[in-house]
Amino acid sequence: MDWKIELIFVPVTDVDRAKDFYVKIGFNADHDHVPYEGLRFVQMTPPGSACSIAFGTGIGGGLEPGQQDSIQVVVPDADAALAQLRDAGVDANGVDEQDWGRFVTFDDPDGNTWTLQQLPDYSAAG
């Protein structure tokens, strides 16, 4: 049986500001619905990803905005990802070179931290 992660909650203080930010960095706005008063559900998907993020009002767990610091995404090119973020006006940290990958980190407007990882070329290891 396959297990596939569908959705990760990202706590935010301002839903419209968060939506604008994620659209600016290339996420697709899949859903933005208010099914009833007090509930707004926004779902956004990073380019090429099968997993989405969600935020809104009246949803979510116990995390306060800015506490989500464990989302990691694989990218094909850390330098290109850094350039794309900086071109979008995001204050992303430069590429961190490690034996197990090349990493770029950035925060959304609420301080939720994202890590982008370019995997090593394992085929070159011989």
Side-chain angles (χ1 to χ4, degrees), residues 15-49:
V15 176
D16 291 318
R17 178 182 71 174
K19 183 178 177 183
D20 290 345
F21 173 81
Y22 286 107
V23 166
K24 178 175 74 171
I25 64 170
F27 283 43
N28 185 62
D30 303 320
H31 301 285
D32 187 346
H33 298 288
V34 179
Y36 53 84
E37 186 176 333
L39 176 64
R40 179 176 177 193
F41 178 82
V42 178
Q43 181 173 335
M44 315 237 4
T45 303
S49 179

Short mmCIF file of all heavy atoms in Angstrom, two decimals, residues 15-49:
data_model
loop_
_atom_site.label_atom_id
_atom_site.label_comp_id
_atom_site.label_asym_id
_atom_site.label_seq_id
_atom_site.Cartn_x
_atom_site.Cartn_y
_atom_site.Cartn_z
N VAL A 15 -4.14 35.56 6.29
CA VAL A 15 -4.34 34.59 5.22
C VAL A 15 -4.04 35.21 3.85
O VAL A 15 -3.35 34.59 3.03
CB VAL A 15 -5.78 34.02 5.26
CG1 VAL A 15 -6.03 33.09 4.09
CG2 VAL A 15 -6.02 33.30 6.58
N ASP A 16 -4.50 36.41 3.59
CA ASP A 16 -4.27 37.03 2.29
C ASP A 16 -2.79 37.33 2.06
O ASP A 16 -2.27 37.12 0.96
CB ASP A 16 -5.11 38.30 2.14
CG ASP A 16 -6.59 37.99 2.02
OD1 ASP A 16 -6.95 37.03 1.31
OD2 ASP A 16 -7.40 38.71 2.64
N ARG A 17 -2.11 37.81 3.10
CA ARG A 17 -0.67 38.08 2.98
C ARG A 17 0.08 36.79 2.69
O ARG A 17 0.96 36.74 1.83
CB ARG A 17 -0.15 38.73 4.26
CG ARG A 17 1.36 39.00 4.22
CD ARG A 17 1.85 39.61 5.50
NE ARG A 17 1.83 38.59 6.56
CZ ARG A 17 2.31 38.78 7.77
NH1 ARG A 17 2.85 39.93 8.11
NH2 ARG A 17 2.26 37.80 8.67
N ALA A 18 -0.27 35.71 3.39
CA ALA A 18 0.39 34.42 3.17
C ALA A 18 0.12 33.92 1.75
O ALA A 18 1.03 33.46 1.05
CB ALA A 18 -0.09 33.40 4.20
N LYS A 19 -1.13 34.01 1.31
CA LYS A 19 -1.47 33.55 -0.04
C LYS A 19 -0.68 34.33 -1.08
O LYS A 19 -0.10 33.75 -2.01
CB LYS A 19 -2.97 33.68 -0.28
CG LYS A 19 -3.40 33.16 -1.64
CD LYS A 19 -4.90 33.25 -1.81
CE LYS A 19 -5.31 32.79 -3.21
NZ LYS A 19 -6.76 32.95 -3.43
N ASP A 20 -0.62 35.65 -0.94
CA ASP A 20 0.15 36.48 -1.88
C ASP A 20 1.62 36.08 -1.90
O ASP A 20 2.24 36.00 -2.97
CB ASP A 20 0.02 37.97 -1.52
CG ASP A 20 -1.36 38.53 -1.79
OD1 ASP A 20 -2.16 37.89 -2.51
OD2 ASP A 20 -1.65 39.62 -1.26
N PHE A 21 2.19 35.82 -0.73
CA PHE A 21 3.59 35.42 -0.63
C PHE A 21 3.84 34.12 -1.38
O PHE A 21 4.76 34.02 -2.19
CB PHE A 21 4.01 35.28 0.84
CG PHE A 21 5.39 34.71 1.02
CD1 PHE A 21 6.51 35.52 0.91
CD2 PHE A 21 5.57 33.36 1.30
CE1 PHE A 21 7.78 35.00 1.07
CE2 PHE A 21 6.84 32.82 1.46
CZ PHE A 21 7.94 33.65 1.34
N TYR A 22 3.03 33.11 -1.11
CA TYR A 22 3.25 31.81 -1.73
C TYR A 22 3.01 31.84 -3.24
O TYR A 22 3.72 31.18 -4.00
CB TYR A 22 2.45 30.72 -1.02
CG TYR A 22 3.04 30.38 0.33
CD1 TYR A 22 2.44 30.76 1.52
CD2 TYR A 22 4.25 29.69 0.41
CE1 TYR A 22 3.01 30.46 2.75
CE2 TYR A 22 4.83 29.40 1.64
CZ TYR A 22 4.21 29.78 2.80
OH TYR A 22 4.78 29.49 4.01
N VAL A 23 2.05 32.63 -3.70
CA VAL A 23 1.85 32.80 -5.14
C VAL A 23 3.09 33.47 -5.75
O VAL A 23 3.58 33.06 -6.81
CB VAL A 23 0.57 33.61 -5.44
CG1 VAL A 23 0.54 34.08 -6.89
CG2 VAL A 23 -0.67 32.78 -5.13
N LYS A 24 3.62 34.48 -5.05
CA LYS A 24 4.80 35.21 -5.54
C LYS A 24 6.00 34.30 -5.74
O LYS A 24 6.80 34.51 -6.65
CB LYS A 24 5.13 36.35 -4.55
CG LYS A 24 6.35 37.16 -4.91
CD LYS A 24 6.55 38.33 -3.97
CE LYS A 24 7.07 37.86 -2.64
NZ LYS A 24 7.49 38.95 -1.75
N ILE A 25 6.13 33.25 -4.90
CA ILE A 25 7.30 32.37 -5.04
C ILE A 25 6.99 31.15 -5.91
O ILE A 25 7.81 30.24 -6.01
CB ILE A 25 7.90 31.96 -3.68
CG1 ILE A 25 6.94 31.14 -2.85
CG2 ILE A 25 8.39 33.20 -2.93
CD1 ILE A 25 7.58 30.52 -1.60
N GLY A 26 5.82 31.13 -6.54
CA GLY A 26 5.54 30.12 -7.53
C GLY A 26 4.56 29.02 -7.17
O GLY A 26 4.33 28.11 -7.96
N PHE A 27 3.96 29.09 -5.98
CA PHE A 27 2.98 28.07 -5.60
C PHE A 27 1.68 28.28 -6.38
O PHE A 27 1.33 29.41 -6.72
CB PHE A 27 2.65 28.15 -4.11
CG PHE A 27 3.69 27.58 -3.19
CD1 PHE A 27 5.05 27.81 -3.37
CD2 PHE A 27 3.31 26.82 -2.10
CE1 PHE A 27 6.00 27.29 -2.51
CE2 PHE A 27 4.25 26.30 -1.22
CZ PHE A 27 5.60 26.53 -1.44
N ASN A 28 0.97 27.20 -6.63
CA ASN A 28 -0.33 27.26 -7.26
C ASN A 28 -1.40 27.38 -6.17
O ASN A 28 -1.40 26.61 -5.21
CB ASN A 28 -0.59 26.00 -8.10
CG ASN A 28 -1.88 26.09 -8.85
OD1 ASN A 28 -2.04 26.96 -9.68
ND2 ASN A 28 -2.81 25.21 -8.55
N ALA A 29 -2.31 28.32 -6.35
CA ALA A 29 -3.44 28.46 -5.42
C ALA A 29 -4.53 27.49 -5.85
O ALA A 29 -5.29 27.76 -6.78
CB ALA A 29 -3.94 29.90 -5.42
N ASP A 30 -4.60 26.34 -5.19
CA ASP A 30 -5.55 25.29 -5.57
C ASP A 30 -6.97 25.58 -5.10
O ASP A 30 -7.92 25.37 -5.84
CB ASP A 30 -5.11 23.94 -4.97
CG ASP A 30 -3.71 23.54 -5.39
OD1 ASP A 30 -3.36 23.75 -6.55
OD2 ASP A 30 -2.98 23.01 -4.52
N HIS A 31 -7.09 26.00 -3.86
CA HIS A 31 -8.41 26.25 -3.27
C HIS A 31 -8.34 27.47 -2.36
O HIS A 31 -7.35 27.68 -1.68
CB HIS A 31 -8.89 25.07 -2.41
CG HIS A 31 -8.97 23.78 -3.14
ND1 HIS A 31 -9.97 23.49 -4.04
CD2 HIS A 31 -8.18 22.69 -3.12
CE1 HIS A 31 -9.78 22.28 -4.52
NE2 HIS A 31 -8.70 21.78 -3.98
N ASP A 32 -9.41 28.22 -2.34
CA ASP A 32 -9.61 29.29 -1.38
C ASP A 32 -11.11 29.39 -1.17
O ASP A 32 -11.82 30.02 -1.95
CB ASP A 32 -9.03 30.61 -1.89
CG ASP A 32 -9.06 31.72 -0.85
OD1 ASP A 32 -9.76 31.56 0.19
OD2 ASP A 32 -8.40 32.75 -1.06
N HIS A 33 -11.58 28.68 -0.15
CA HIS A 33 -13.02 28.56 0.05
C HIS A 33 -13.41 28.93 1.49
O HIS A 33 -12.66 28.67 2.43
CB HIS A 33 -13.50 27.13 -0.21
CG HIS A 33 -13.26 26.69 -1.61
ND1 HIS A 33 -13.98 27.15 -2.68
CD2 HIS A 33 -12.36 25.82 -2.13
CE1 HIS A 33 -13.54 26.59 -3.80
NE2 HIS A 33 -12.55 25.78 -3.49
N VAL A 34 -14.58 29.51 1.60
CA VAL A 34 -15.21 29.76 2.89
C VAL A 34 -16.50 28.95 2.89
O VAL A 34 -17.55 29.42 2.44
CB VAL A 34 -15.50 31.27 3.10
CG1 VAL A 34 -16.18 31.51 4.45
CG2 VAL A 34 -14.22 32.09 2.97
N PRO A 35 -16.44 27.70 3.35
CA PRO A 35 -17.63 26.86 3.31
C PRO A 35 -18.72 27.31 4.28
O PRO A 35 -19.89 27.03 4.06
CB PRO A 35 -17.13 25.46 3.67
CG PRO A 35 -15.80 25.66 4.29
CD PRO A 35 -15.27 26.98 3.83
N TYR A 36 -18.29 27.99 5.34
CA TYR A 36 -19.26 28.57 6.27
C TYR A 36 -18.53 29.63 7.09
O TYR A 36 -17.30 29.68 7.13
CB TYR A 36 -19.91 27.51 7.17
CG TYR A 36 -18.96 26.61 7.93
CD1 TYR A 36 -18.39 27.02 9.14
CD2 TYR A 36 -18.63 25.36 7.44
CE1 TYR A 36 -17.53 26.21 9.83
CE2 TYR A 36 -17.76 24.53 8.12
CZ TYR A 36 -17.21 24.96 9.32
OH TYR A 36 -16.34 24.15 10.00
N GLU A 37 -19.30 30.47 7.75
CA GLU A 37 -18.73 31.57 8.52
C GLU A 37 -17.76 31.03 9.58
O GLU A 37 -18.07 30.07 10.29
CB GLU A 37 -19.84 32.37 9.20
CG GLU A 37 -19.33 33.61 9.90
CD GLU A 37 -20.43 34.45 10.50
OE1 GLU A 37 -21.57 34.41 9.99
OE2 GLU A 37 -20.14 35.15 11.48
N GLY A 38 -16.58 31.62 9.64
CA GLY A 38 -15.57 31.21 10.62
C GLY A 38 -14.57 30.22 10.09
O GLY A 38 -13.60 29.90 10.78
N LEU A 39 -14.79 29.72 8.86
CA LEU A 39 -13.84 28.77 8.27
C LEU A 39 -13.46 29.23 6.87
O LEU A 39 -14.31 29.39 5.99
CB LEU A 39 -14.43 27.36 8.19
CG LEU A 39 -13.53 26.32 7.49
CD1 LEU A 39 -12.25 26.09 8.29
CD2 LEU A 39 -14.28 25.01 7.30
N ARG A 40 -12.17 29.48 6.69
CA ARG A 40 -11.59 29.75 5.37
C ARG A 40 -10.47 28.76 5.17
O ARG A 40 -9.57 28.66 6.01
CB ARG A 40 -11.07 31.18 5.27
CG ARG A 40 -10.45 31.47 3.90
CD ARG A 40 -10.03 32.91 3.78
NE ARG A 40 -9.37 33.18 2.50
CZ ARG A 40 -8.69 34.29 2.25
NH1 ARG A 40 -8.60 35.24 3.18
NH2 ARG A 40 -8.11 34.45 1.07
N PHE A 41 -10.51 28.04 4.07
CA PHE A 41 -9.53 27.01 3.77
C PHE A 41 -8.79 27.37 2.49
O PHE A 41 -9.41 27.50 1.43
CB PHE A 41 -10.22 25.65 3.62
CG PHE A 41 -9.28 24.54 3.25
CD1 PHE A 41 -8.53 23.91 4.24
CD2 PHE A 41 -9.13 24.14 1.94
CE1 PHE A 41 -7.66 22.88 3.90
CE2 PHE A 41 -8.26 23.11 1.59
CZ PHE A 41 -7.52 22.48 2.58
N VAL A 42 -7.48 27.56 2.60
CA VAL A 42 -6.63 27.87 1.45
C VAL A 42 -5.64 26.73 1.30
O VAL A 42 -4.96 26.35 2.26
CB VAL A 42 -5.88 29.21 1.63
CG1 VAL A 42 -4.96 29.48 0.45
CG2 VAL A 42 -6.86 30.35 1.84
N GLN A 43 -5.57 26.16 0.09
CA GLN A 43 -4.62 25.09 -0.21
C GLN A 43 -3.74 25.55 -1.36
O GLN A 43 -4.23 26.02 -2.38
CB GLN A 43 -5.36 23.80 -0.59
CG GLN A 43 -4.42 22.65 -0.88
CD GLN A 43 -5.17 21.34 -1.10
OE1 GLN A 43 -6.29 21.16 -0.62
NE2 GLN A 43 -4.55 20.44 -1.83
N MET A 44 -2.42 25.40 -1.17
CA MET A 44 -1.44 25.83 -2.17
C MET A 44 -0.45 24.70 -2.40
O MET A 44 -0.08 24.00 -1.46
CB MET A 44 -0.70 27.08 -1.66
CG MET A 44 -1.62 28.10 -1.06
SD MET A 44 -1.67 29.75 -1.70
CE MET A 44 -0.66 29.93 -3.04
N THR A 45 -0.01 24.57 -3.65
CA THR A 45 0.92 23.49 -3.99
C THR A 45 2.18 24.05 -4.62
O THR A 45 2.11 24.83 -5.58
CB THR A 45 0.25 22.49 -4.96
OG1 THR A 45 -0.95 22.00 -4.36
CG2 THR A 45 1.17 21.32 -5.26
N PRO A 46 3.36 23.64 -4.09
CA PRO A 46 4.62 24.06 -4.72
C PRO A 46 4.72 23.48 -6.13
O PRO A 46 4.15 22.41 -6.40
CB PRO A 46 5.70 23.45 -3.82
CG PRO A 46 5.02 23.08 -2.55
CD PRO A 46 3.58 22.83 -2.90
N PRO A 47 5.43 24.16 -7.03
CA PRO A 47 5.55 23.65 -8.39
C PRO A 47 6.14 22.24 -8.42
O PRO A 47 7.15 21.97 -7.79
CB PRO A 47 6.47 24.64 -9.09
CG PRO A 47 6.94 25.61 -8.06
CD PRO A 47 6.21 25.36 -6.80
N GLY A 48 5.46 21.32 -9.11
CA GLY A 48 5.94 19.95 -9.26
C GLY A 48 5.69 19.04 -8.09
O GLY A 48 6.04 17.87 -8.13
N SER A 49 5.06 19.52 -7.02
CA SER A 49 4.87 18.72 -5.81
C SER A 49 3.53 17.99 -5.83
O SER A 49 2.54 18.49 -6.34
CB SER A 49 4.93 19.61 -4.58
OG SER A 49 4.72 18.86 -3.40
#
